[in-house]
Amino acid sequence: MNTAPPAGPAEVARSRPPVPRRSMVRIGRWVAVPVRRSSLFAAAVVLVLLGCAAVATLTLGRLGIGLGDLPSALMGEATGKNAFVLNRLRGPRLVVAIATGAAFGLSGALFQSVTRNPLGSPDVIGLSAGAGAGAAAVALFLPGTLPVSVGALLGAVTAMGVVYVSTGTGFRSPGRLVVAGIGVSAMATALTQYVVYAVERDKASALTAYINGSLAARSWDDAATIWTVLLLCVPLAALLARPLGIREMGDDLSTGLGSRPARITTGAVLLSIVLSAGAVSVAGPIAFVSLTAPQIAKRVTRGGGPQLMMSTLLGALLLVVADLAAQQLPLFDNLPVGLYTMAVGGVYLGYLLVREWRRPVV
């Protein structure tokens, strides 16, 4: 017979698993997001890596700014070649890459959270394919009338409109959303390939670079566009962080806790679409950043929930590093940055497949 005395309050407290320590990240007076200390440390590391990649982007190569001249150049004292590189060649490209990657990463985190699918992203529901088709249609039917970037935005919006109508339930049903998106994506891709074959060879080469995603020849106007979209959407995403975390517990439980799953789903999907459409309008449909950034964020932080902050930072880091490779790797000159992100995404999908094969069958 066990005659051990019952554990006292101190023993019970010591036997409980440690609760992760959390801090509050505040955006203005009304938004306060709880964040684990480990997530803050991981975010700091990613920010350091992002800073290193940014410095490498501005300094490496034959046209790079000397490392010793970089501080004064950033303070507005650049002249001659350094001024050209910072203000025209690499500066706008870097700023666009940071915001575009962040927008794709946050968009993917929102979409994967509401679909509860690690392979979910706005790419899956036809947004990127629609953007490519819109850009292709403008290049073929309205050459010189509308910019290709405007065509990409119109194509993305049209694709999302078709998906919205096709599901019969708007954006409230993740399953129908994915199925309708795959169909729209297939049709948009067919249109894009037709245009590539139909237009002249020189135009087809430029169009192929754009529909694969490119950061070449970006301007400060492009930077202003994507940063405006990002700064408007980040506070709204922060407001959704807690409801999304509750929703991942299941619709029944989240409803019991006072949440409204249908509204949360629709709001998150709409915000994801706005972020992706803004990114596509300035850089083209760059693939796999929105797919991989949220999954890397979950593995880095080892935490539950949508991991919006880490996904945003990792999206920026992934795209800046991919664009650095596109600029500096000597074996593949002038390749669009989207081809490098496709390679990363292919490696990630291969990793997922191997992991699934090794998982024991129950």
Short mmCIF file of all heavy atoms in Angstrom, two decimals, residues 20 36 38-39 42 295-305 307 310:
data_model
loop_
_atom_site.label_atom_id
_atom_site.label_comp_id
_atom_site.label_asym_id
_atom_site.label_seq_id
_atom_site.Cartn_x
_atom_site.Cartn_y
_atom_site.Cartn_z
N PRO A 20 5.77 28.90 -21.06
CA PRO A 20 6.65 29.79 -21.82
C PRO A 20 6.45 31.25 -21.40
O PRO A 20 5.31 31.70 -21.26
CB PRO A 20 6.21 29.56 -23.28
CG PRO A 20 5.55 28.23 -23.27
CD PRO A 20 4.92 28.09 -21.94
N ARG A 36 6.21 34.92 -27.37
CA ARG A 36 7.12 34.20 -26.48
C ARG A 36 8.53 34.78 -26.57
O ARG A 36 8.95 35.29 -27.60
CB ARG A 36 7.16 32.71 -26.87
CG ARG A 36 5.84 32.00 -26.68
CD ARG A 36 6.02 30.50 -26.76
NE ARG A 36 6.74 30.09 -27.95
CZ ARG A 36 7.24 28.88 -28.12
NH1 ARG A 36 7.11 27.96 -27.17
NH2 ARG A 36 7.87 28.56 -29.22
N SER A 38 11.31 33.17 -26.64
CA SER A 38 12.12 32.46 -27.63
C SER A 38 11.84 32.98 -29.04
O SER A 38 12.75 33.06 -29.88
CB SER A 38 11.83 30.95 -27.57
OG SER A 38 10.46 30.69 -27.81
N SER A 39 10.59 33.37 -29.30
CA SER A 39 10.24 33.92 -30.61
C SER A 39 10.91 35.28 -30.81
O SER A 39 11.37 35.60 -31.92
CB SER A 39 8.72 34.06 -30.75
OG SER A 39 8.09 32.80 -30.68
N ALA A 42 14.52 34.57 -31.70
CA ALA A 42 14.61 34.11 -33.08
C ALA A 42 14.41 35.27 -34.05
O ALA A 42 15.10 35.38 -35.08
CB ALA A 42 13.58 33.01 -33.34
N GLN A 295 6.25 27.85 -42.67
CA GLN A 295 6.67 26.56 -42.14
C GLN A 295 8.05 26.65 -41.48
O GLN A 295 8.29 26.03 -40.44
CB GLN A 295 6.69 25.52 -43.27
CG GLN A 295 5.31 25.17 -43.80
CD GLN A 295 4.39 24.67 -42.69
OE1 GLN A 295 4.74 23.73 -41.98
NE2 GLN A 295 3.24 25.29 -42.53
N ILE A 296 8.95 27.42 -42.06
CA ILE A 296 10.25 27.63 -41.42
C ILE A 296 10.05 28.36 -40.09
O ILE A 296 10.71 28.05 -39.09
CB ILE A 296 11.18 28.42 -42.35
CG1 ILE A 296 11.48 27.61 -43.61
CG2 ILE A 296 12.48 28.77 -41.64
CD1 ILE A 296 12.28 28.38 -44.66
N ALA A 297 9.12 29.31 -40.07
CA ALA A 297 8.86 30.06 -38.83
C ALA A 297 8.39 29.13 -37.71
O ALA A 297 8.82 29.25 -36.56
CB ALA A 297 7.81 31.14 -39.10
N LYS A 298 7.52 28.18 -38.03
CA LYS A 298 7.03 27.25 -37.00
C LYS A 298 8.17 26.37 -36.48
O LYS A 298 8.21 26.03 -35.29
CB LYS A 298 5.91 26.38 -37.59
CG LYS A 298 4.59 27.11 -37.77
CD LYS A 298 3.53 26.18 -38.31
CE LYS A 298 2.19 26.90 -38.48
NZ LYS A 298 1.61 27.31 -37.18
N ARG A 299 9.08 25.98 -37.36
CA ARG A 299 10.17 25.11 -36.92
C ARG A 299 11.24 25.90 -36.15
O ARG A 299 11.86 25.36 -35.24
CB ARG A 299 10.78 24.42 -38.14
CG ARG A 299 9.91 23.27 -38.65
CD ARG A 299 10.16 22.90 -40.09
NE ARG A 299 9.36 21.76 -40.47
CZ ARG A 299 8.06 21.81 -40.74
NH1 ARG A 299 7.41 22.97 -40.65
NH2 ARG A 299 7.39 20.73 -41.08
N VAL A 300 11.42 27.15 -36.48
CA VAL A 300 12.40 27.97 -35.77
C VAL A 300 11.91 28.29 -34.36
O VAL A 300 12.67 28.21 -33.39
CB VAL A 300 12.69 29.26 -36.56
CG1 VAL A 300 13.44 30.27 -35.70
CG2 VAL A 300 13.49 28.95 -37.82
N THR A 301 10.65 28.65 -34.24
CA THR A 301 10.12 29.04 -32.93
C THR A 301 9.63 27.86 -32.12
O THR A 301 9.49 27.96 -30.90
CB THR A 301 8.96 30.02 -33.11
OG1 THR A 301 7.90 29.39 -33.88
CG2 THR A 301 9.40 31.28 -33.84
N ARG A 302 9.32 26.72 -32.80
CA ARG A 302 8.78 25.53 -32.14
C ARG A 302 7.53 25.86 -31.33
O ARG A 302 7.33 25.34 -30.23
CB ARG A 302 9.83 24.88 -31.24
CG ARG A 302 11.05 24.37 -31.99
CD ARG A 302 12.03 23.69 -31.06
NE ARG A 302 13.20 23.21 -31.80
CZ ARG A 302 14.24 22.59 -31.24
NH1 ARG A 302 14.24 22.38 -29.93
NH2 ARG A 302 15.26 22.19 -31.97
N GLY A 303 6.72 26.72 -31.88
CA GLY A 303 5.51 27.13 -31.18
C GLY A 303 4.29 26.92 -32.04
O GLY A 303 4.38 26.70 -33.26
N GLY A 304 3.12 26.96 -31.41
CA GLY A 304 1.87 26.84 -32.14
C GLY A 304 1.39 28.20 -32.61
O GLY A 304 2.04 29.23 -32.42
N GLY A 305 0.21 28.19 -33.21
CA GLY A 305 -0.35 29.44 -33.70
C GLY A 305 0.19 29.81 -35.07
O GLY A 305 1.06 29.15 -35.62
N GLN A 307 2.14 32.29 -36.11
CA GLN A 307 3.51 32.82 -36.21
C GLN A 307 3.63 33.91 -37.27
O GLN A 307 4.47 33.86 -38.18
CB GLN A 307 4.49 31.68 -36.51
CG GLN A 307 4.55 30.59 -35.46
CD GLN A 307 5.08 31.10 -34.13
OE1 GLN A 307 5.89 32.02 -34.11
NE2 GLN A 307 4.62 30.51 -33.05
N MET A 310 7.17 36.09 -37.24
CA MET A 310 8.32 35.37 -37.76
C MET A 310 8.16 35.07 -39.25
O MET A 310 9.14 35.10 -40.01
CB MET A 310 8.53 34.07 -36.99
CG MET A 310 9.27 34.24 -35.68
SD MET A 310 10.94 34.93 -35.92
CE MET A 310 11.68 33.66 -36.93
#
